[in-house]
Amino acid sequence: QQPVQSPQAVILREGEDAVINCSSSKALYSVHWYRQKHGEAPVFLMILLKGGEQKGHEKISASFNEKKQQSSLYLTASQLSYSGTYFCGTEPQSGNNRLAFGKGNQVVVIP
Amino acid sequence: EAQVTQNPRYLITVTGKKLTVTCSQNMNHEYMSWYRQDPGLGLRQIYYSMNVEVTDKGDVPEGYKVSRKEKRNFPLILESPSPNQTSLYFCASSLGSGDTQYFGPGTRLTVL
């Protein structure tokens, strides 16, 4: 039931764009995205809810395809600070806030 | 400041010596969870709690216990730690379903 994240790693230059993906085999209520820097706690980026509502705190966009149970996170005009490991957490349709996290997408932004 | 705190941040112990990792949140959140993070495996849920006195197993509960006697506290107990429990542990809390999970700073545990 762990979601599958792809690609495993991305290297991009400052200013370039990237898309990272999260796919689940289960019907979902919400998808959460977090970014983790080495040795630190995961930090919230975005929540996408069934029905299209989005909640986010940063200028990062994402989409949630409810039919396919897939979510994509769009890193646009990447900055050095975008480097880190991105985790998606999926919440099943029961909405019990019990998140299953993927193994992460490692993103490295170079000057 | 709204936060989730964990103690201790680092712990080295020996096999079989009972230990407790504390977790506390000051946001009046209903939901609390414990995760362990191992290289290449992502975050795996150990236990979660939907409210006071309501706890349930996550994906990897073996060897762990929890309790939720007060809303703000959710301690993780290892009755008889073993080396395969060496890991980075995170506590998290959230207001409810579909809401942000706030993570504590993490506890790095080494069991010799």
Side-chain angles (χ1 to χ4, degrees), chain A residues 36-71:
Chain A
Q36 185 180 32
K37 304 278 186 177
H38 184 68
E40 299 180 5
V43 173
F44 168 76
L45 294 176
M46 169 128 356
I47 292 176
L48 301 106
L49 302 174
K50 184 181 177 183
E53 184 182 354
Q54 295 185 27
K55 302 182 199 177
H57 298 302
E58 290 191 13
K59 293 182 180 178
I60 291 178
S61 61
S63 63
F64 177 24
N65 186 321
E66 295 173 35
K67 288 184 179 177
K68 292 185 177 180
Q69 309 306 327
Q70 292 176 350
S71 177

Side-chain angles (χ1 to χ4, degrees), chain A:
Chain A
Q1 65 187 37
Q2 189 176 29
V4 177
Q5 293 188 238
S6 63
Q8 190 172 359
V10 177
I11 300 175
L12 59 159
R13 291 195 178 277
E14 206 172 358
E16 291 181 341
D17 302 338
V19 181
I20 54 181
N21 304 296
C22 173
S23 180
S24 174
S25 59
K26 293 193 168 189
L28 301 176
Y29 174 73
S30 68
V31 178
H32 302 221
W33 284 97
Y34 292 80
R35 178 171 63 210
Q36 185 180 32
K37 304 278 186 177
H38 184 68
E40 299 180 5
V43 173
F44 168 76
L45 294 176
M46 169 128 356
I47 292 176
L48 301 106
L49 302 174
K50 184 181 177 183
E53 184 182 354
Q54 295 185 27
K55 302 182 199 177
H57 298 302
E58 290 191 13
K59 293 182 180 178
I60 291 178
S61 61
S63 63
F64 177 24
N65 186 321
E66 295 173 35
K67 288 184 179 177
K68 292 185 177 180
Q69 309 306 327
Q70 292 176 350
S71 177
S72 295
L73 191 71
Y74 304 97
L75 306 177
T76 305
S78 59
Q79 304 169 17
L80 296 176
S81 61
Y82 285 9
S83 292
T85 301
Y86 289 76
F87 290 100
C88 74
T90 54
E91 181 181 9
Q93 271 198 352
S94 57
N96 60 7
N97 201 239
R98 208 198 135 184
L99 295 183
F101 284 92
K103 294 182 179 180
N105 307 91
Q106 187 175 4
V107 173
V108 177
V109 181
I110 57 176

Side-chain angles (χ1 to χ4, degrees), chain B residues 74-87:
Chain B
F74 191 44
L76 179 70
I77 303 155
L78 285 73
E79 295 271 2
S80 182
S82 62
N84 63 12
Q85 292 178 297
T86 292
S87 188

